[in-house]
Amino acid sequence: MENYLEYDEERDRYRTEITSSRGCLECFDFTEPVEGNIYDEKQWSLEFYIRVIAEEKEQEVAVIKGILFDENKLEESGLDIVEAADYIAQDEYDAAYWLSEFEGYKGIGGDDEWIWKGSYSGYIATFYVYEEYRNKGIAKYLFSNIHKLLKYSLNINLRCISIYPQPQDPEGWNNISDDDMMRNMIQVIERNGFIKIGNEGYYARTYELVEI
């Protein structure tokens, strides 16, 4: 998937690479049917990874990592998104809890159930644009089009996603304390349609489902 972003009166070419944890068949026992190797968590959740690469330099420009939950599979398993996240890790649990409190997420089911069939919701764990590429529209492009990027690359219909703005060090993706970066991150996500949920610092946004 290729796109162009314009800045400094030039047009630089970028490559967007998108993968998911379902794209890697690891540790399969070949004495068992394939279905027998798919454990529950693999059925109703997946990790996704988006990288933007500057083609001329072959340099990483931006990264988004996160986890998504298949709302159909959750319904079939009798789980809600908070229960499902609780199987994985504390961070996912917190993000799922606050997403479940978001009006954009709660407005599903009943007569409107058809709206979210085949859709996914989840959260962004890592969002990072490298310093020399900031303030050039890259974050806006990604946040505005993440639902389309996931749909056309992985056939995932993103309905709702949350994020906790947290500065990180790209060397090891460890959390760091940086008040200026935190303020900038909040400004970016608010400008791109994310709404604050509660008082724990989480934000969320809904997207229109994409048809092919």
Side-chain angles (χ1 to χ4, degrees), residues 102-118:
F102 179 50
E103 288 298 327
Y105 178 80
K106 291 194 290 187
I108 62 175
D111 294 337
D112 296 328
E113 190 171 331
W114 64 272
I115 293 175
W116 62 280
K117 283 296 185 184

Side-chain angles (χ1 to χ4, degrees), residues 16-138:
T16 307
E17 299 178 349
I18 306 170
T19 57
S20 84
S21 57
R22 287 185 181 171
C24 183
L25 305 181
E26 296 180 347
C27 303
F28 270 39
D29 181 350
F30 292 107
T31 65
E32 297 290 335
V34 171
E35 294 81 0
N37 284 281
I38 305 295
Y39 53 90
D40 288 343
E41 289 181 18
K42 200 78 165 181
Q43 290 184 17
W44 40 252
S45 70
L46 62 86
E47 296 174 354
F48 70 93
Y49 186 22
I50 300 174
R51 299 174 69 224
V52 179
I53 309 295
E55 289 198 330
E56 185 176 350
K57 300 178 181 178
E58 276 299 314
Q59 181 175 338
E60 191 171 76
V61 170
V63 173
I64 295 181
K65 299 179 184 178
I67 186 167
L68 298 175
F69 295 90
D70 183 331
E71 293 177 331
N72 283 344
K73 292 295 185 181
L74 291 184
E75 183 181 36
E76 291 171 3
S77 302
L79 296 171
D80 63 31
I81 196 168
V82 179
E83 292 170 325
D86 194 31
Y87 280 96
I88 301 173
Q90 186 66 36
D91 289 345
E92 283 82 352
Y93 176 87
D94 289 344
Y97 172 78
W98 285 107
L99 180 62
S100 71
E101 297 297 304
F102 179 50
E103 288 298 327
Y105 178 80
K106 291 194 290 187
I108 62 175
D111 294 337
D112 296 328
E113 190 171 331
W114 64 272
I115 293 175
W116 62 280
K117 283 296 185 184
S119 63
Y120 289 72
S121 291
Y123 90 107
I124 295 170
T126 294
F127 176 75
Y128 192 85
V129 178
Y130 288 85
E131 188 169 1
E132 65 184 280
Y133 292 98
R134 294 173 189 165
N135 302 311
K136 302 183 187 299
I138 295 173

Side-chain angles (χ1 to χ4, degrees), residues 134-174:
R134 294 173 189 165
N135 302 311
K136 302 183 187 299
I138 295 173
K140 179 180 179 181
Y141 174 84
L142 291 172
F143 280 133
S144 297
N145 293 288
I146 187 173
H147 61 314
K148 295 179 180 178
L149 293 170
L150 291 171
K151 179 64 177 181
Y152 292 114
S153 61
L154 304 176
N155 198 29
I156 288 172
N157 235 332
L158 177 64
R159 187 178 67 81
C160 197
I161 197 160
S162 67
I163 184 172
Y164 180 85
Q166 172 61 63
Q168 292 179 312
D169 176 2
E171 291 298 321
W173 299 117
N174 297 313

